[in-house]
């Protein structure tokens, strides 16, 4: 592993924010000033291929990267795009999913949508609470 790749890997693993390639590039430049954005992209893809990190494909958004490779879900803010890990939900056991409509299932991605703590404060009261108020 090259030093550049190691720095990129360390940065993705340290981050809990599921950074985009642009964000990784901004942070890595502090340690490797001459690195190019293309190099960052190539190394991120290579690290994902060899299973050191995971790609997080977000509907309608820029691809993000995750230093946690164990199966887990994500919750994404529909306003600002912030992504957090979801570990404590009852996720289906893979054993229950082995065969679905003739497909042999090898894994899954879970993406919940909602408002992050920051955006929640700036939006109108949630529907549930409005119903309860009646
Ligand atoms: Zn938000
Ligand atoms: Zn994650």
């Amino acid at each position: 592993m090259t030093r550049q790749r190691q720095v990129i890997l360390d940065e993705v693993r340290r981050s809990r924010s599921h950074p985009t390639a642009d964000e990784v590039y901004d942070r890595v430049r502090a340690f490797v000033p001459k690195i190019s954005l293309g190099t960052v992209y190539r190394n991120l893809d290579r690290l994902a291929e060899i299973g050191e990190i995971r790609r997080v494909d977000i509907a309608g958004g820029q691809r993000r990267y995750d230093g946690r490779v164990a199966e887990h879900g994500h919750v994404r803010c529909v306003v600002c795009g912030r992504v957090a890990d979801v570990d404590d939900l009852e996720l289906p056991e893979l054993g229950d999913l082995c065969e679905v409509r003739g497909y042999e299932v090898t894994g899954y991605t879970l993406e919940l949508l909602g408002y992050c703590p920051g955006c929640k404060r700036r939006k109108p009261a949630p529907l549930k609470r409005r119903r309860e108020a009646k």
Side-chain angles (χ1 to χ4, degrees), residues 1-10 32 35 39 43 46-47:
M1 184 168 303
T2 64
R3 175 171 130 69
Q4 288 183 339
R5 185 170 294 168
Q6 186 64 53
V7 171
I8 290 167
L9 176 59
D10 290 346
V32 191
I35 201 163
T39 300
N43 278 290
R46 184 72 190 125
L47 286 165

Side-chain angles (χ1 to χ4, degrees), residues 3-73:
R3 175 171 130 69
Q4 288 183 339
R5 185 170 294 168
Q6 186 64 53
V7 171
I8 290 167
L9 176 59
D10 290 346
E11 202 49 50
V12 175
R13 281 196 177 145
R14 182 170 27 232
S15 169
R16 308 259 23 93
S17 68
H18 306 82
T20 63
D22 289 340
E23 287 164 352
V24 174
Y25 173 61
D26 278 342
R27 294 174 202 168
V28 164
R29 265 193 309 179
F31 308 101
V32 191
K34 285 182 182 153
I35 201 163
S36 71
L37 182 57
T39 300
V40 171
Y41 267 101
R42 269 194 306 281
N43 278 290
L44 285 169
D45 282 336
R46 184 72 190 125
L47 286 165
E49 275 164 28
I50 62 177
E52 294 286 342
I53 62 174
R54 277 169 57 157
R55 296 187 182 100
V56 183
D57 285 306
I58 302 288
Q62 240 194 313
R63 171 177 288 167
R64 292 166 175 274
Y65 294 88
D66 197 341
R68 286 186 57 198
V69 291
E71 290 286 343
H72 63 279

